[in-house]
Amino acid sequence: MTTASEPLEPVLSVRQVLALERVLAGEPEVVAGAAQLDRPVRWVHVAEAADVGVMLTGGEMVLTTGVLLAGDEDKQTEYIRSLYRAEAAAVVLGLGRAFPAPPDVMRRAAERCGLPLVVLHRPFPFAELTEEVQSRLVRRKFAAVSLSEAVRTALTALITAGAPLQSLLDEIAAHSACPVVVTNLAHRVLATAGERPAVDDVLRDWERIARQAGGTEGDGWIRAELGGRGQRWGQIVLCGYRGGTAVGRLLADRAAEALVLHRMLGGGSARSWEEQSAQRLLTDLVSGAVPARQLLPRARAAGLPVNRRTFVPLVVRDVTPAGLDRVLRMLGLAGLVAELADGATAVLLSLARDQDADALTAHFAARLRSESGRTRTVVAAAGPRTGWDEVPAGLHEAQHVADAVADSSAALDLPDVVRLRDVHLRGLIRLLRDDPQVQSFAERELDGLLCGTDRDLLNVLRTYLATGRNKSRTAQLHHVSRPALYRRLEAIQARLGVDLDDFEQAASVHIALLAHDAQQS
């Protein structure tokens, strides 16, 4: 079995073979090709034939005593050349009667070819070496195949259970023990997994990594393309994988297969993965579970410009994230879009410092109304933020404004871009809606209507107060005659025991109704 310190790799390098105890007993000496000792050894082959090269397929370590080569320098040179042409990993020559010392002709030929030539100064049973290496190679290949099947089984089970993308990536990161990153073709990060500090280190330097294609697989950066049906749409990257390249490639391939299958079976398109990435980022910003400064690398890696920018947090209701994202693309605006709860969608605009944030927000709202076909689509906006650390507060503000105008009647006389200054009393009531004293006040003031079964009277009261006690407008909105409205208003006043023509009493009822609606929502 491989040890914890021995990297799981289905092959051994020439260097690793020479470090085995049984080989060390033969006092090995590398006399040529020392720079090529990291070549992989696929198999060990004992051969004395001078034309052994024709029997090789590449990657073999050839063991010989050279008994058929002694005394013929041309044969010695051709022997090395034939091994080189066959792409042998190395040749090990046991010194003895045929060659009591390392042969210069073979050494020079091997050096010219870059083929490792190793001599054994002590007699050594080749059978022991072949047995040791072959058994290790078989165990390693079996372990690699077992790992491949374990990963495939685990990922397939998750897909079958309908697990989200993040669960698959967490499983891949657990097997690879390194950060895992999924990107689109523009190298924008769609999702990550792994230990948070390690992932943050990768994302912090992602711009350079993406430009330089992230180094080479020899550095532990293992990639696999994501796509199907002739189209590529992204890649998965194992970042700094510490095991062998072949096993890293195996893991990356199994992961890519699973992600493509996940998408094909309805786990989402690459576009929806971008939406999920934005949603996780904005949710973390709003929740405050992760400090904003720590989320900056994720935002930058997701393609959001963050250096010397102005950020405008928005919340829009009843418009899909895809619709909002389409408007952003039409206007050429940089931003993230993420669906929140209760049909609300957050948009975080990133603008250059010299751009007019208010004008662009208004332009965005106008284009959104035009594209959605809704003349009363309301965009709740927070004030522009020039610092990334201020973004969470801005998102909270925009969400609060959106909540304050959630009721359709509240949007009767509001601008298309609603700000904190526009929600007035309604905004304050929203903030206080969970206060027990406010709840008691609302129930006490509205008790005459809440305990009844005629909900129409409550709706009439809501419209009457929202329109500034405009009887004509209220009758029009409820499609009733003015006399019929007067009778309903009289019934409301009788049940509540108030005079709605009295400003203070009407204001008290209005505040109670706002609190009631806020609690219900």
Side-chain angles (χ1 to χ4, degrees), residues 14 171 174 181 324 356 402 416 518:
V14 175
E171 185 72 22
V181 175
L324 291 165
D356 188 331
D416 296 319

Side-chain angles (χ1 to χ4, degrees), residues 274-275 278-279 282 321-322 324-325 328 335-339 345-348:
E274 290 184 20
E275 294 167 2
Q279 183 174 25
L282 293 186
L324 291 165
D325 188 68
L328 284 181
L336 295 177
V337 178
E339 187 173 7
T345 302
V347 180
L348 180 60

Side-chain angles (χ1 to χ4, degrees), residues 21 267 370-371 466 520:
E21 283 189 30
S370 173
E371 292 297 321
Q520 294 302 308

Side-chain angles (χ1 to χ4, degrees), residues 488-503:
R488 296 184 186 184
L489 291 177
E490 290 172 358
I492 291 171
Q493 294 181 100
R495 291 194 182 187
L496 297 181
V498 299
D499 179 5
L500 293 179
D501 290 329
D502 181 87
F503 175 78

Side-chain angles (χ1 to χ4, degrees), residues 355-473:
Q355 291 181 294
D356 188 331
D358 290 343
L360 282 173
T361 303
H363 187 39
F364 173 81
R367 177 59 68 90
L368 182 61
R369 289 198 309 276
S370 173
E371 292 297 321
S372 66
R374 298 180 180 181
T375 58
R376 293 308 306 168
T377 297
V378 177
V379 176
R385 263 58 177 179
T386 56
W388 178 256
D389 290 339
E390 302 169 1
V391 169
L395 287 168
H396 278 291
E397 181 180 317
Q399 196 168 22
H400 167 61
V401 173
D403 286 345
V405 296
D407 184 23
S408 59
S409 65
L412 291 175
D413 298 310
L414 289 172
D416 296 319
V417 178
V418 186
R419 303 184 186 278
L420 191 59
R421 61 176 178 267
D422 299 315
V423 296
H424 305 297
L425 179 62
R426 187 177 298 274
L428 176 62
I429 295 300
R430 278 275 172 171
L431 291 175
L432 300 176
R433 62 180 176 177
D434 293 326
D435 188 298
Q437 293 185 358
V438 173
Q439 294 173 358
S440 297
F441 168 76
E443 292 177 5
R444 184 171 61 251
E445 289 290 303
L446 301 175
D447 180 63
L449 292 180
L450 296 179
C451 63
T453 58
D454 190 357
R455 306 300 293 182
D456 182 59
L457 291 181
L458 195 64
N459 291 331
V460 169
L461 175 63
R462 183 180 292 110
T463 304
Y464 180 62
L465 295 175
T467 58
R469 294 183 292 173
N470 186 320
K471 294 182 175 64
S472 297
R473 179 63 174 155

